[in-house]
Amino acid sequence: MAAGGGAEEPKRPYDLVVFGASGFTGQFVVEEVARAAAGGELRGALRWAVAGRSREKLQAVLEWAAERLGKAAPGAEVGVLLCDVGDAASLAAMARQTRLVLNCVGPYRFFGEPVVEACVENGASCIDISGEPQFLEGTYLKYNAKAAEKGVYVIGSCGFDSIPADMGVLYTRDKLKGTLTAVESFLTVKSGPEGSCIHDGTWKSAVYGLADQGNLRKLRRKIGYAPVPVIGAKLKRRGLVFYNQEFKQYSIPFMGSDASVVKRSQRYLHTELQETPVQYGAYVNIGGVGSVIKLMLAGILFLLLVKFSFGRKLLTKYPEFFSAGRFSKKGPTQKQMDETAFTMTFFGEGYSEGQDPQNGKPNVKICTEVKGPEPGYIATPIAMVQAAVSLLEDAACLPKQGGVYSPGAAFSKTKLIERLNQRGVEFSVISKPEV
């Protein structure tokens, strides 16, 4: 069933609406949608709109995007909708006019739910770029049944968190001859002489997310997840800091939502499609001893401050100071973005065809990689927009019923990986040792 139901389809003037279009990340998503619309990536013309509080700002973003794409002016066909996350009626009006909302208004723990509610109630699908497990899993608990009933898809974490990791695990699984049972990924972010920088919206999400770990555990008990069985040799958890021989530098566990998102996808694919679940560990490479010491000092300070409301105020007021310049209220410069790129390397192991994964040691390995441009404001919009294109164009390949899904669960049968490859977020096999 198409998002929004078959019969009433003509009444919706838009295929997609970018909500929060004039925000820091939203502007880059608008540019990317404009690029997809112009590039004929869809079967028909893309009917789309931008939405937010200020008509002037929305108009300015459309002009900025047009200029960046080398156009004299934005197309008159792009709609401009005024709505505010604090005004439920305006959100409902937006959702009724479109098949899909791209929600760019975070931190999602504060602003995410009204948008999901408006979409589900009014028969629109919804995609976000949240890396906040609590929001994602809380949404599942509250809206999964209703979304299924309405035939709409609510798909969270469709940005750098966590499409490269989630789709990367599925890609690795599909490229291994045999049964993949465990994967570890290692993220490396390389930046140019001016370093890299992240807008403080992400910083705020991290501050509030870490402060609220206890509630996340309660939420998971409430959902009552079925445990995912461990198939094959059990994947060992690594320490807080360890030296990585493969990369000749130190690594730490990745603090983002990747591990929790991959787990949700694997649980879905196992329970719904009877696929062998893959165990997963997510890590990030941080460099030499100096980086380790700096990071540990910053981490200790962060964890101390995050426990108190006064500390959280300090952290959110002075992101540059407490993150040693990694996060700022201005966000990165264009030059910083142009010179930054990421590589996520996946080391998988499993059992060759005909081997029983329940017995004996894994006997095949594979190494794959997802490479892309700057993660926050170039790769994230690409991932979000290609997820949107997949939802609109590959509808027959989505899960049979609507609901709240992680990217891997929603897109495992679609052409999302091919679409990402064409837009510069590239999936490839690095090595496949023989049995």
Side-chain angles (χ1 to χ4, degrees):
M1 174 165 152
E8 77 220 66
E9 211 56 82
K11 278 194 291 208
R12 297 188 181 241
Y14 303 113
D15 297 310
L16 70 83
V17 171
V18 181
F19 177 56
S22 58
F24 191 81
T25 308
Q27 60 185 345
F28 296 109
V29 173
V30 169
E31 181 190 354
E32 193 58 33
V33 172
R35 188 179 280 117
E41 290 176 31
L42 292 101
R43 280 187 290 261
L46 180 69
R47 302 164 309 147
W48 65 289
V50 291
R53 286 183 301 207
S54 151
R55 185 176 292 279
E56 289 70 37
K57 281 187 181 168
L58 292 169
Q59 208 53 57
V61 161
L62 287 173
E63 282 164 21
W64 174 84
E67 195 182 312
R68 281 170 66 96
L69 294 177
K71 290 198 167 106
E77 74 283 355
V78 182
V80 176
L81 306 178
L82 291 186
C83 64
D84 185 331
V85 77
D87 173 0
S90 72
L91 293 178
M94 166 180 73
R96 279 197 293 275
Q97 292 183 68
T98 185
R99 292 167 60 195
L100 172 63
V101 170
L102 270 54
N103 182 13
C104 303
V105 180
Y108 291 91
R109 69 166 50 241
F110 300 132
F111 306 120
E113 189 181 338
V115 181
V116 171
E117 187 175 14
C119 287
V120 172
E121 291 295 336
N122 295 284
S125 291
C126 181
I127 283 181
D128 71 51
I129 43 179
S130 168
E132 305 164 51
Q134 200 173 345
F135 167 71
L136 298 163
E137 296 178 44
T139 301
Y140 173 81
L141 182 64
K142 213 162 166 185
Y143 294 98
N144 186 48
K146 190 82 194 253
E149 179 193 313
K150 291 275 194 176
V152 300
Y153 298 91
V154 176
I155 309 167
S157 40
C158 288
F160 176 73
D161 293 288
S162 290
I163 277 184
D166 206 8
M167 299 311 289
V169 170
L170 297 183
Y171 176 84
T172 307
R173 177 199 73 181
D174 294 343
K175 292 297 178 192
L176 184 80
K177 280 190 169 54
T179 309
L180 183 74
T181 55
V183 177
E184 289 182 324
S185 69
F186 291 87
L187 168 65
T188 310
V189 178
K190 286 203 164 58
S191 49
E194 299 192 10
S196 66
C197 171
I198 305 170
H199 187 256
D200 83 321
T202 304
W203 173 255
K204 281 187 187 134
S205 303
V207 170
Y208 295 111
L210 272 171
D212 213 9
Q213 286 285 312
N215 281 328
L216 180 58
R217 284 190 284 276
K218 277 187 208 140
L219 177 70
R220 286 176 175 164
R221 281 200 292 277
K222 210 185 265 177
I223 294 173
Y225 286 129
V228 184
V230 172
I231 309 286
K234 192 166 163 49
L235 185 63
K236 288 188 193 62
R237 291 188 66 166
R238 297 176 183 250
L240 279 176
V241 181
F242 55 95
Y243 187 72
N244 191 321
Q245 284 300 341
E246 298 282 349
F247 297 95
K248 301 281 181 275
Q249 53 175 308
Y250 287 91
S251 309
I252 59 170
F254 181 62
M255 295 298 278
S257 56
D258 288 359
S260 69
V261 170
V262 168
K263 191 160 191 177
R264 281 173 57 218
S265 291
Q266 292 301 323
R267 179 183 285 110
Y268 170 83
L269 296 169
H270 174 65
T271 52
E272 298 298 318
L273 306 181
Q274 287 67 57
E275 293 175 4
T276 304
V278 179
Q279 306 167 65
Y280 175 65
Y283 301 95
V284 57
N285 297 327
I286 55 169
V289 177
S291 304
V292 174
I293 293 167
K294 264 203 292 214
L295 199 78
M296 281 171 82
L297 291 173
I300 289 164
L301 186 61
F302 189 89
L303 290 172
L304 284 174
L305 288 171
V306 92
K307 287 191 169 42
F308 309 101
S309 69
F310 166 71
R312 291 193 290 277
K313 275 202 187 92
L314 277 178
L315 287 168
T316 51
K317 199 169 173 188
Y318 304 108
E320 283 190 65
F321 177 78
F322 287 107
S323 68
R326 285 279 173 93
F327 290 85
S328 85
K329 289 187 189 289
K330 290 195 297 287
T333 62
Q334 187 61 48
K335 191 161 164 38
Q336 281 178 317
M337 292 192 321
D338 293 341
E339 292 175 346
T340 302
F342 79 88
T343 305
M344 201 176 256
T345 310
F346 298 81
F347 297 99
E349 59 174 32
Y351 295 76
S352 56
E353 284 163 326
Q355 286 293 111
D356 176 8
Q358 301 288 31
N359 283 316
K361 284 195 161 71
N363 66 340
V364 280
K365 285 187 169 165
I366 183 169
C367 175
T368 63
E369 170 176 281
V370 180
K371 282 168 91 134
E374 186 279 329
Y377 312 103
I378 305 180
T380 284
I382 290 171
M384 187 184 215
V385 172
Q386 294 309 319
V389 171
S390 296
L391 196 136
L392 294 170
E393 295 285 300
D394 309 340
C397 311
L398 295 170
K400 293 221 177 359
Q401 70 181 115
V404 176
Y405 290 101
S406 53
F411 297 121
S412 73
K413 305 272 186 274
T414 67
K415 297 195 181 107
L416 177 56
I417 289 175
E418 290 162 49
R419 295 179 190 285
L420 290 166
N421 273 328
Q422 283 163 1
R423 283 291 301 115
V425 176
E426 295 166 10
F427 292 67
S428 60
V429 176
I430 303 300
S431 68
K432 282 183 177 176
E434 294 309 303
V435 180

